[in-house]
Amino acid sequence: MPRITLQQPCRMTPTEARSVIDQIAARMREKFGMACEWHGDSLRFTRPGVKGDIAIGAREILVNAELGLMLSPMKGMIEQEIRRKLDEHFA
């Protein structure tokens, strides 16, 4: 299964970053029907065809996603959109 792994530097406090990730999660639920749940400093997300997490590190945001077979051909486009959102919210 194709994997997406991205790292974005972040200068926010963990509380600020969590608030931003909560906003992103709400949009993911609304737009894609994702189930999202916090486990410590990591937001796990899942829906048929994709699962992963968004983790708050010491000075970065880490995104890991595993795509199912149906989404494999769209890996480049999905990765580009995630990168765009990370830049928009955390750069």
Side-chain angles (χ1 to χ4, degrees):
M1 297 218 182
R3 295 186 68 76
I4 296 172
T5 303
L6 298 171
Q7 182 177 352
Q8 173 72 38
C10 178
R11 294 186 175 161
M12 295 178 180
T13 67
T15 302
E16 293 169 327
R18 189 180 186 107
S19 177
V20 171
I21 293 169
D22 277 336
Q23 293 171 15
I24 293 168
R27 184 84 169 122
M28 289 167 55
R29 280 187 209 94
E30 176 186 309
K31 191 170 181 181
F32 302 112
M34 294 269 187
C36 301
E37 185 176 347
W38 283 99
H39 293 268
D41 286 334
S42 181
L43 178 83
R44 294 184 188 161
F45 57 87
T46 186
R47 65 158 276 175
V50 65
K51 65 180 178 179
D53 61 79
I54 304 170
I56 302 169
R59 294 186 178 151
E60 72 275 334
I61 302 298
L62 307 165
V63 177
N64 293 295
E66 188 175 304
L67 305 178
L69 293 176
M70 296 298 283
L71 292 176
S72 295
M74 299 171 55
K75 179 184 182 236
M77 184 178 73
I78 293 167
E79 190 168 355
Q80 191 173 39
E81 181 63 14
I82 294 169
R83 171 59 61 202
R84 189 178 73 74
K85 288 295 183 182
L86 287 172
D87 287 344
E88 179 182 318
H89 292 289
F90 297 105

